Amino acid sequence: RWWPYQQKKHRPGRWCGCRGYSRHARCHRRVPRGLGMRPGVRLGIDVGTARIGVARSDLHGMLATPVETVPRGAGDIARIRELVSEIDAVEIIVGLPLALSGRETASTGDAKEFAGRLSTACAVPVRLVDERLSTVSANSALRASGRNEKNSRSVVDQVAAVIILQHALDFERSADSPSGAVVDPDEGF
């Protein structure tokens, strides 16, 4: 029997060893969680002046992996549209290169223009996500793995796309809401 001055016993969670009397947040949430991760494969894009790095996530949105490097120019949007239909992506995450102060740069306008063209060409939503220092992080990760700059030139854009997509996935998992801003296909961004 439960008395008012006693703590009411509850059912412990799967990982809980508290025997039902302690209410710690790890196993016993008092605040209901949000919707969590939306299911589906996402495509991550790192827009460069010469090359476009492409990465993809798994179906559950846990891990980002590199796909390929697409040369920038004629046919780049068509190739990305092929990749979207090939892997059945639910959205595209495009990196938005901002300055460290948060101001726009010349490459910011280029990325916005590319995301606008991509949103009109593809039927899936396109999101712009802050990608400060993603290429710098990719270069340092490749350097730490033993690759020099000449050997890693074709791969650095893919690694930067993986960093951008993984950051967006981690943000959505922790905040229970998608990161970035959606690009309107009619207006651009």
Side-chain angles (χ1 to χ4, degrees):
R1 181 173 165 139
W2 178 71
W3 298 96
Y5 60 86
Q6 292 176 329
Q7 191 176 15
K8 187 174 181 180
K9 185 172 180 176
H10 66 278
R11 298 183 116 148
R14 189 161 83 174
W15 297 283
C16 180
C18 68
R19 297 196 180 125
Y21 290 102
S22 173
R23 283 225 180 243
H24 46 87
R26 185 178 65 227
C27 321
H28 311 286
R29 289 191 160 278
R30 292 182 183 191
V31 179
R33 295 193 87 167
L35 297 175
M37 276 304 283
R38 299 168 295 148
V41 177
R42 291 157 183 80
L43 206 65
I45 306 287
D46 176 47
V47 182
T49 55
R51 292 174 299 278
I52 300 167
V54 181
R56 65 167 284 178
S57 72
D58 61 334
L59 183 64
H60 304 293
M62 298 296 285
L63 187 67
T65 55
V67 176
E68 71 176 71
T69 303
V70 177
R72 185 84 189 261
D76 53 1
I77 298 282
R79 177 62 188 144
I80 292 173
R81 193 173 56 216
E82 288 173 14
L83 287 171
V84 167
S85 63
E86 185 179 305
I87 66 169
D88 198 26
V90 295
E91 80 178 344
I92 301 172
I93 310 277
V94 178
L96 183 65
L98 297 171
L100 287 177
S101 63
R103 284 183 275 192
E104 295 189 3
T105 62
S107 48
T108 305
D110 187 35
K112 284 183 178 181
E113 184 266 330
F114 184 81
R117 288 191 301 135
L118 196 60
S119 68
T120 57
C122 297
V124 298
V126 177
R127 291 187 170 276
L128 283 169
V129 176
D130 184 10
E131 64 136 327
R132 290 179 223 186
L133 300 176
S134 64
T135 306
V136 174
S137 301
N139 277 326
S140 66
L142 288 170
R143 203 173 313 112
S145 69
R147 297 184 73 144
N148 62 10
E149 190 144 343
K150 186 178 180 184
N151 291 343
S152 63
R153 191 171 292 155
S154 63
V155 186
V156 70
D157 296 308
Q158 291 179 28
V159 175
V162 166
I163 291 171
I164 293 165
L165 182 57
Q166 189 66 51
H167 175 70
L169 293 173
D170 292 342
F171 179 85
E172 183 172 346
R173 195 175 309 105
S174 67
D176 284 340
S177 67
S179 65
V182 179
V183 178
D184 187 13
D186 299 328
E187 300 173 12
F189 186 77

